[in-house]
Amino acid sequence: MRSVNIGICGLGTVGAGVYNVLGRNSKQINSRANCDLVISQVGARRDNPNCDTNGTDVSRDIFDVAKNPDIDIVVELIGGTDVAHKLVMTALENGKHVVTANKALIAQHGMEIFAAAEARGLIVAYEAAVAGGIPIIKALREGLSGNRINWLAGIINGTTNFILSEMDSKGREFADVLTEAQEKGYAEADPTFDVEGIDAAHKLVIMTSLAFGMPLSLDGIYTDGITKLEPQDVSYARELGYAIKHLGITRQTGQGVELRVHPTLVPESCLIAGVNDVSNAVMVNADAVGTTLFYGPGAGSEPTASSVLADIVDVARTMGAGADSWVPALGCNTTALQTQPIMAIQDIETSFYIRFSALDKPGVLSDITGIMANAGISIEAIIQKEQPAGEDYVNVIILTNVTKEKLLDAAVEHIEQLETVRGSVTFIRVEHLDQ
Ligand code: HSE
């Protein structure tokens, strides 16, 4: 069998996973790749105690790997965007195919990288960039290529889902769970990327590009994280029969493409509401197949390595046939991509959960329902919580029917101006994900 030489750059959580799993499963992987996959060189600034590289050429300079004339596929697992960008461009300039798990790199520099690869007939593969071990890129690129995709919605950040699950089921503190997620190797080097929704935004942009044939761009995406989410809303949502999940949502509408990342109430009856811990899940609704759900571990060493290895096998099998043997677009055929307008968040239509603190006296609720009625917003449920002893104010929770966000914004502003309402109004979007 021919040999295909691999250079791994980065020996952190994912790099060590790739090295170890390839060693452990080499017989099966080689037979699927139809070649001998050989790790010829590793580039890493330091060793990883979870990975015994004895017998492999290890360089402290990752650029040695990108320029190594013996290497066919460079696997970029260093993360970040500056050095990773230079590394990948250097690898392409040196005629290497590239496999990467780097969503920030693909979301921000993907168009330049793909154009460079295309010009040289090289492949850039990035299955591990989205949803860890779930083969969602392959599903969108190949498995659903007979469909027109209508929308997709996913839990696409494992750290955030882990934090929300622990807060919900065990009442744990946010900071404490985040520390555990970091220790387990789920979180990004800068965990604000996880908890502020930036990592999910990168992944959503990549899936949107594949789903709707658009160039990669973060322009216009609405991004909100989980740092402002209050535990009381998690438990009120449960009382109403909903879970709060941090979702990335994209939808093709007549007015443009919705592109948004934010905490969302989803009915407990929806499968995605039961996706907990570090798991990810992506629902894809398409015209022929209907709704599909892709579920699995969204982060971690070997789950992510599983996706990296799938790309290595694909690249090794097809590299002799040229990049255009890959189906379809993004990385192979960037000229076919078409920009579409991204909808402003104020123009999207959805249901809402709202909570505020109101004086417990006659007429207050009717003022509030009057404001909602005047804004043309229909109320699906309203709950007034019993006030604690000695308190004049009560928490009021309202679930609305589907409305335009700008109408909700105007109603919220009006409610906040009432003398009988204390503080600001909290609102969280609700998605039923049923059509
Ligand atoms: N920090 C990411 C997450 C890693 O928690 O989902 C996987 O992309």
Side-chain angles (χ1 to χ4, degrees):
M1 273 209 292
R2 75 196 159 109
S3 290
V4 170
N5 293 332
I6 296 163
I8 296 178
C9 296
L11 208 57
T13 305
V14 182
V18 171
Y19 191 96
N20 292 337
V21 178
L22 184 53
R24 191 169 79 223
N25 296 343
S26 65
K27 194 161 162 241
Q28 293 87 341
I29 295 173
N30 286 343
S31 97
R32 289 167 189 147
N34 199 26
C35 62
D36 276 329
L37 293 170
V38 179
I39 300 178
S40 312
Q41 194 173 33
V42 168
R45 248 183 280 150
R46 61 189 76 88
D47 295 333
N48 184 333
N50 299 320
C51 183
D52 178 5
T53 51
N54 231 333
T56 304
D57 173 15
V58 179
S59 167
R60 294 296 173 216
D61 182 356
I62 48 173
F63 285 86
D64 283 350
V65 180
K67 293 175 190 162
N68 183 333
D70 295 335
I71 283 176
D72 302 297
I73 305 173
V74 169
V75 183
E76 182 278 306
L77 301 172
I78 62 168
T81 44
D82 293 346
V83 180
H85 180 210
K86 282 194 200 102
L87 179 74
V88 165
M89 295 305 285
T90 305
L92 293 171
E93 280 154 20
N94 283 275
K96 321 293 182 202
H97 301 281
V98 171
V99 171
T100 178
N102 193 330
K103 52 267 162 155
L105 177 72
I106 296 296
Q108 288 177 35
H109 299 291
M111 298 314 298
E112 180 195 353
I113 289 170
F114 293 136
E118 215 172 320
R120 295 169 175 86
L122 298 166
I123 299 166
V124 177
Y126 50 92
E127 180 65 70
V130 182
I134 307 173
I136 187 66
I137 299 299
K138 208 169 178 60
L140 291 170
R141 208 186 65 222
E142 298 179 27
L144 297 173
S145 57
N147 288 259
R148 267 188 295 117
I149 293 177
N150 300 316
W151 56 262
L152 64 83
I155 296 170
I156 46 178
N157 182 271
T159 302
T160 312
N161 202 39
F162 182 63
I163 294 171
L164 285 180
S165 304
E166 292 287 299
M167 284 171 70
D168 187 10
S169 63
K170 300 182 191 147
R172 289 181 61 191
E173 294 290 326
F174 181 97
D176 169 39
V177 193
L178 175 57
T179 304
E180 189 181 337
Q182 288 176 287
E183 283 162 8
K184 288 182 163 28
Y186 301 157
E188 296 302 297
D190 176 355
T192 57
F193 272 51
D194 298 291
V195 297
E196 297 294 0
I198 301 160
D199 176 75
H202 292 149
K203 294 165 177 169
L204 185 66
V205 157
I206 295 171
M207 291 196 290
T208 302
S209 178
L210 282 167
F212 303 142
M214 294 162 56
L216 289 156
S217 171
L218 286 158
D219 290 348
I221 187 165
Y222 175 83
T223 307
D224 194 8
I226 60 164
T227 48
K228 294 189 289 295
L229 198 60
E230 292 190 36
Q232 60 179 330
D233 293 314
V234 176
S235 65
Y236 289 150
R238 279 285 173 208
E239 283 181 43
L240 290 159
Y242 290 81
I244 300 187
K245 293 291 174 193
H246 188 248
L247 295 187
I249 300 169
T250 187
R251 190 189 309 268
Q252 184 88 68
T253 79
Q255 289 78 51
V257 171
E258 289 182 18
L259 195 57
R260 50 195 171 101
V261 170
H262 51 70
T264 314
L265 268 75
V266 283
E268 282 171 350
S269 56
C270 184
L271 282 175
I272 210 166
V275 172
N276 290 316
D277 304 321
V278 72
S279 299
N280 281 193
V282 183
M283 292 175 79
V284 185
N285 178 275
D287 68 335
V289 71
T291 303
T292 50
L293 175 68
F294 301 87
Y295 165 82
S301 177
E302 295 204 355
T304 312
S306 163
S307 288
V308 171
L309 287 162
D311 275 346
I312 292 175
V313 169
D314 268 359
V315 174
R317 281 194 77 91
T318 48
M319 56 194 240
D324 52 9
S325 63
W326 274 48
V327 266
L330 206 52
C332 315
N333 189 10
T334 46
T335 45
L337 302 175
Q338 280 189 339
T339 307
Q340 294 189 49
I342 306 299
M343 286 176 74
I345 192 72
Q346 294 79 12
D347 290 328
I348 65 132
E349 293 190 1
T350 189
S351 307
F352 291 90
Y353 160 103
I354 68 176
R355 173 181 54 80
F356 49 88
S357 178
L359 203 54
D360 188 18
K361 70 170 204 184
V364 172
L365 279 190
S366 80
D367 286 349
I368 284 152
T369 53
I371 289 173
M372 300 295 268
N374 284 340
I377 301 170
S378 152
I379 293 175
E380 188 178 292
I382 182 161
I383 302 175
Q384 178 180 313
K385 303 303 292 182
E386 213 172 293
Q387 83 230 61
E391 256 287 2
D392 294 333
Y393 283 82
V394 288
N395 270 343
V396 177
I397 292 108
I398 295 177
L399 278 183
T400 75
N401 281 325
V402 173
T403 185
K404 206 168 243 201
E405 184 147 335
K406 60 169 71 141
L407 298 181
L408 194 277
D409 286 345
V412 163
E413 203 182 322
H414 205 154
I415 292 170
E416 283 175 343
Q417 283 161 4
L418 292 176
E419 283 184 356
T420 49
V421 168
R422 184 172 63 181
S424 56
V425 174
T426 293
F427 70 90
I428 305 173
R429 299 167 190 88
V430 180
E431 292 289 340
H432 293 93
L433 304 173
D434 53 2
Q435 56 183 355

